[in-house]
Amino acid sequence: MKLFIYHTPELTPTDQAPECAIAVDVLRATSTMATVLAAGGEAVQVFSDLDQLVEVSEKWPPEKRLRAGERGGAKVAGFELGNSPLDCTPELVQGRRLFISTTNGTRALQRIQEAPIVLAAALINRAAVVKFLLEKQPETVWIVGSGWEGSFSLEDTVCAGAIAHSIWKESHASLEDLTGNDEVASAIALYSQWQNDLLGLFHQASHGKRLLRLECLDDLKYCSQTDILDILPIQHEPGVLKSQSK
């Protein structure tokens, strides 16, 4: 297994595809997706375009759908949800499909949706992602951070590093054998430095600061936890993720 980490969707190669691609948007899209599925949501369907989201979701009965829209960290007017995983309670999401469009995370998923295996990862479900990779042993794995509007983000890269670090330690492979590009070693180093204070790192991150200005400290606290959800969001058709069958 060779791991490749890309800090943003724009940095992924356009002339090739991996056997497995993983989208990471810790603050907050992939954290929200994992939370929705863990709370009994039927599926998560992602859109980059808000109008398209509304058009497609209109075909679903109101009691079977939820619409989540976020731009610039704030909730889009007219949508039931923004992008806070803390709003996704079992009482609200059970049996419903979440139609979601966010500033960055949905774009990352759409960039990789043609890969044979597509996963959504966050710190909260890191262990489930690692377990899947160690069992399936895909030949090439891309871990794609969402970044922020095309720029590097600390929280996505530290999550990519957390995944790579676990695979490195649990597979007993050499770092040289595992590493497909330089970003893997740098992401592992970032995670190793901050693994005991991920919330502190989020306070340093530009998007973390943006969310703090929006009074979303509880979201940061939640998203900075590791391995609290045994859930693996996996793509069943382009743009639609469901929980992996146990």
Side-chain angles (χ1 to χ4, degrees), residues 119-192:
L119 310 175
L123 288 164
I124 57 175
N125 72 325
R126 186 262 312 253
V129 172
V130 169
K131 181 183 177 186
F132 176 88
L133 294 175
L134 291 174
E135 286 176 356
K136 299 294 184 184
Q137 289 289 323
E139 192 171 327
T140 53
V141 179
W142 290 2
I143 308 175
V144 182
S146 298
W148 178 262
E149 296 183 346
S151 298
F152 173 94
S153 69
L154 281 169
E155 67 276 4
D156 292 342
T157 297
V158 82
C159 180
I163 294 167
H165 184 271
S166 277
I167 292 170
W168 176 36
K169 293 300 184 184
E170 292 184 35
S171 68
H172 306 295
S174 72
L175 192 57
E176 183 179 5
D177 288 341
L178 196 63
T179 298
N181 61 0
D182 288 357
E183 287 88 336
V184 176
S186 67
I188 288 174
L190 179 68
Y191 173 71
S192 297

Side-chain angles (χ1 to χ4, degrees), residues 52-220:
Q52 187 186 19
L53 184 159
V54 172
E55 181 184 343
V56 173
S57 63
E58 281 293 327
K59 299 169 184 173
W60 284 70
E63 69 276 9
K64 291 292 186 181
R65 71 176 184 230
L66 282 170
R67 294 166 174 163
E70 171 266 325
R71 290 295 184 268
K75 177 176 172 288
V76 175
F79 284 59
E80 291 100 339
L81 297 169
N83 193 20
S84 174
L86 298 179
D87 292 337
C88 301
T89 61
E91 294 79 16
L92 182 65
V93 307
Q94 181 80 37
R96 302 171 90 174
R97 176 169 294 208
L98 183 74
F99 297 85
I100 185 170
S101 180
T102 70
T103 306
N104 303 293
T106 49
R107 195 177 76 252
L109 274 163
Q110 290 195 322
R111 169 64 191 90
I112 62 174
Q113 68 182 14
E114 300 304 323
I117 302 170
V118 176
L119 310 175
L123 288 164
I124 57 175
N125 72 325
R126 186 262 312 253
V129 172
V130 169
K131 181 183 177 186
F132 176 88
L133 294 175
L134 291 174
E135 286 176 356
K136 299 294 184 184
Q137 289 289 323
E139 192 171 327
T140 53
V141 179
W142 290 2
I143 308 175
V144 182
S146 298
W148 178 262
E149 296 183 346
S151 298
F152 173 94
S153 69
L154 281 169
E155 67 276 4
D156 292 342
T157 297
V158 82
C159 180
I163 294 167
H165 184 271
S166 277
I167 292 170
W168 176 36
K169 293 300 184 184
E170 292 184 35
S171 68
H172 306 295
S174 72
L175 192 57
E176 183 179 5
D177 288 341
L178 196 63
T179 298
N181 61 0
D182 288 357
E183 287 88 336
V184 176
S186 67
I188 288 174
L190 179 68
Y191 173 71
S192 297
Q193 175 73 27
W194 286 93
Q195 60 182 309
N196 296 318
D197 188 19
L198 291 168
L199 182 59
L201 179 66
F202 286 9
H203 277 75
Q204 303 297 321
S206 59
H207 192 39
K209 293 174 182 177
R210 191 176 293 111
L211 290 172
L212 287 171
R213 290 194 294 271
L214 293 168
E215 301 183 347
C216 295
L217 174 59
D218 287 343
D219 277 8
L220 262 63

Side-chain angles (χ1 to χ4, degrees), residues 44-47 52 56 97 109-110 112-116 118 234-241:
V44 175
Q45 190 162 352
V46 302
F47 299 83
Q52 187 186 19
V56 173
R97 176 169 294 208
L109 274 163
Q110 290 195 322
I112 62 174
Q113 68 182 14
E114 300 304 323
V118 176
I234 187 166
Q235 181 174 267
H236 279 242
E237 59 186 89
V240 177
L241 294 101

